[in-house]
Amino acid sequence: MDLFSRSWAALRTAVAELPDEDFARPSGCTGWLVRDLVCHLVIDAQDVLITLVTPADTEPTRDALTYWDVTETPPTGEDPLDALTVRLAAAYEEPWLLKFHLDDVGSAAGRAAELADPGARVSTRDEVLTTGDYLMTYVMEWTLHHLDLIAHLPHVAGPPAQGLARSREMLEKIAGAAFPASFSDADALLVGTGRRAPTDAEKADLGEQAARLPFVLG
């Protein structure tokens, strides 16, 4: 729960401190500007709030690792929901409105997570998870999107080291193999999820594992 809070607080702080001109810069998400990514974070925060008040009384069907649907195809930005996010983000017009909405809904999602019972069961996407496992999936979500946020903004602070390390650990378990020790946690996540292609040196370190990349989480 603490790792969820730290990862989410760091991401919201990074967005709150962005100058207006950064909202029109590209993000690490294909087809999305920074403003589109921030709009997606608002929707994510709403999903957290909805899920935390959607209890389930059956056994969990997924956990923090099996929650993810894994494919080999990176997003193109042409998915209808992705396109809807772009249109919704444009409707805000002014960056301060996006900042305000993320702070408002995001703060509520953070408080709800802190108050939640990690052993309780919740329902989302027609699956059942413990609250603790559900929130741990969002450590991965916040960490990856924090990396997306700073992809073209080198002056912006990155995600917390603990969130990077835990997300790498989860991705390695999902992949069924560890990334080379030469990879930083951030590089393991970026290359592992297809956010950037590995360099020649990284391919050499990956060996046969390079052919299995990427592990696109959805």
Side-chain angles (χ1 to χ4, degrees), residues 6 12 40 49 62 68 72-74 79 118 125 145 158 192 201:
R6 276 184 284 167
R12 285 162 36 223
H40 174 74
L49 283 169
R62 299 206 183 189
W68 300 100
E72 298 178 352
T73 307
D79 180 271
R125 305 197 312 187
H145 281 328

Side-chain angles (χ1 to χ4, degrees), residues 22-109:
D22 283 351
F23 280 74
R25 299 187 189 278
S27 76
C29 297
T30 302
W32 279 3
L33 302 176
V34 167
R35 72 180 186 187
D36 306 322
L37 173 59
V38 174
C39 185
H40 174 74
L41 295 178
V42 172
I43 296 169
D44 268 354
Q46 292 172 336
D47 284 344
V48 170
L49 283 169
I50 291 168
T51 299
L52 291 180
V53 293
T54 307
D57 55 9
T58 57
E59 291 296 315
T61 56
R62 299 206 183 189
D63 59 25
L65 301 179
T66 58
Y67 169 85
W68 300 100
D69 294 324
V70 184
T71 71
E72 298 178 352
T73 307
T76 62
E78 298 176 356
D79 180 271
L81 288 178
D82 291 346
L84 176 61
T85 299
V86 172
R87 294 196 299 272
L88 180 59
Y92 278 87
E93 295 186 352
E94 298 293 337
W96 73 266
L97 287 170
L98 264 174
K99 286 183 177 182
F100 173 80
H101 201 182
L102 180 62
D103 179 65
D104 190 36
V105 181
S107 296

